[in-house]
Amino acid sequence: MKRLLCFAAYLALVFTGCSTLMDKSGRVLDGSALGKKELSLYRTEGKDRAEVRVLRLGDGEETLAVTSGAYPGLRLQGTPPGPDGVFDLTELEFLSSHVQGWNEFTIGLLGTACFSVKDGTGELSFERPAERVQIVKGEIRLKSRRIGGDQALQALRNRRERILALTEWMHSRLPDGDLVFKDQKEFENYWKPRLFPELVSKKKRPPEWTGSAGRQVRADSVKWNRDYTEILFPEELWELRNSGAMLRDWEEALAWIYLEYSWDSVFSSLNGITLKKIK
């Protein structure tokens, strides 16, 4: 009986800890874990629901936060709307998780939007996508290592430069118009065979694949086909692919790559939407 009681107490402790962790993770999105009080909440219906919150910060200032189910981990923040509904976008907060950890950062934004409210219904609109400035803070978790401060800031900024170079090339590969993907999985299924044909089945490899008999270089336990690299990619991306850095970015920051690629689509998906007041 004593053993049973001890085991029951252990389970209670484990599940309480898990519940607390899940609660904290959920509260990151609505701001309460960061000392922010939710003053009002507006929400769309459907699977990829968008939400607009008005939050009061710990210092008494108010902010507006926009999230979208289509882009998990993303939050756009701005000033409180004026009488005409216009507000300034100030920053983006993003959490990108992977099997071995996560990347979390805040990046400054320049732009305006409008959130007008009438009879308990809000309408959100953007004239154009916001301009991204620079990552101003962030943290990294990789396996058991947690990195913060200047070290994380530099690593995140370096990764962003690589991601921007990659997504710029992706857009350049589509001269007849950019592909719009319905979700991250569709994005992954399209681009992974083109970026890393060495890691997919033969039937999924692109026409440019030169076979495995060409010049090779080994990095991160993969024999990279240098001939394919130089045929398909611009010179500034050769070292990134051949060194395995591109693969590490893909494995550790796929959601981030998808976000950067889909930047214009983020705003077009939120433009003109109608949200009902929940709180």
Side-chain angles (χ1 to χ4, degrees):
M1 179 62 70
K2 185 176 180 181
R3 289 182 179 180
L4 287 175
L5 289 174
C6 290
F7 183 67
Y10 169 77
L11 288 178
L13 179 61
V14 169
F15 285 115
T16 300
C18 293
S19 176
T20 302
L21 179 61
M22 292 171 64
D23 179 56
K24 287 181 179 178
S25 300
R27 288 189 288 124
V28 167
L29 293 179
D30 66 18
S32 56
L34 304 177
K36 300 176 182 178
K37 181 180 179 181
E38 185 177 272
L39 301 180
S40 58
L41 168 63
Y42 296 81
R43 179 181 295 160
T44 61
E45 298 178 350
K47 175 186 174 183
D48 294 329
R49 70 185 188 189
E51 295 182 335
V52 173
R53 289 179 168 86
V54 178
L55 305 169
R56 178 175 292 142
L57 309 181
D59 59 5
E61 293 288 327
E62 292 184 9
T63 183
L64 182 143
V66 181
T67 58
S68 170
Y71 301 94
L74 168 69
R75 179 163 61 187
L76 302 171
Q77 296 209 159
T79 59
D84 57 356
V86 175
F87 66 96
D88 293 322
L89 291 162
T90 56
E91 62 185 26
L92 171 153
E93 294 179 354
F94 190 61
L95 175 63
S96 167
S97 62
H98 56 92
V99 294
Q100 295 183 330
W102 40 256
N103 301 282
E104 183 178 18
F105 61 84
T106 299
I107 186 169
L109 296 179
L110 294 174
T112 59
C114 182
F115 183 64
S116 56
V117 178
K118 184 178 180 181
D119 299 329
T121 299
E123 184 170 328
L124 182 65
S125 60
F126 298 88
E127 283 191 13
R128 62 184 64 87
E131 179 182 345
R132 292 151 290 180
V133 185
Q134 181 60 284
I135 295 177
V136 295
K137 60 182 178 181
E139 287 191 349
I140 299 169
R141 177 69 180 264
L142 186 60
K143 297 181 180 178
S144 60
R145 246 183 111 202
R146 187 163 183 166
I147 306 168
D150 291 341
Q151 185 181 359
L153 189 61
Q154 191 59 53
L156 289 165
R157 287 177 174 178
N158 290 343
R159 171 158 278 172
R160 182 167 183 260
E161 289 300 315
R162 297 194 301 270
I163 289 175
L164 289 175
L166 176 60
T167 55
E168 182 179 354
W169 170 81
M170 287 176 169
H171 287 296
S172 74
R173 291 287 297 173
L174 305 166
D176 297 330
D178 291 339
L179 289 178
V180 177
F181 300 93
K182 66 179 182 180
D183 55 30
Q184 181 179 307
K185 189 62 179 178
E186 189 175 76
F187 173 83
E188 179 182 8
N189 290 341
Y190 180 85
W191 284 111
K192 184 177 180 180
R194 291 160 173 79
L195 297 177
F196 315 111
E198 295 90 344
L199 305 181
V200 300
S201 62
K202 291 182 179 180
K203 65 180 181 180
K204 291 184 178 180
R205 289 170 178 166
E208 296 90 349
W209 174 249
T210 59
S212 56
R215 295 174 301 150
Q216 295 180 344
V217 57
R218 190 175 186 86
D220 287 351
S221 302
V222 179
K223 290 182 179 179
W224 299 106
N225 186 319
R226 293 175 57 191
D227 292 334
Y228 177 81
T229 299
E230 294 176 16
I231 287 173
L232 197 68
F233 295 87
E235 188 172 354
E236 59 267 25
L237 294 181
W238 291 357
E239 181 62 22
L240 295 181
R241 199 184 100 87
N242 292 339
S243 68
M246 186 180 293
L247 177 61
R248 288 192 295 276
D249 288 339
W250 184 263
E251 291 178 337
E252 297 173 11
L254 177 57
W256 187 356
I257 296 171
Y258 178 57
L259 173 68
E260 295 287 2
Y261 175 91
S262 308
W263 187 248
D264 289 355
S265 297
V266 171
F267 290 87
S268 62
S269 68
L270 291 169
N271 185 43
I273 61 172
T274 299
L275 307 96
K276 292 184 178 180
K277 187 172 184 178
I278 306 300
K279 176 181 178 181

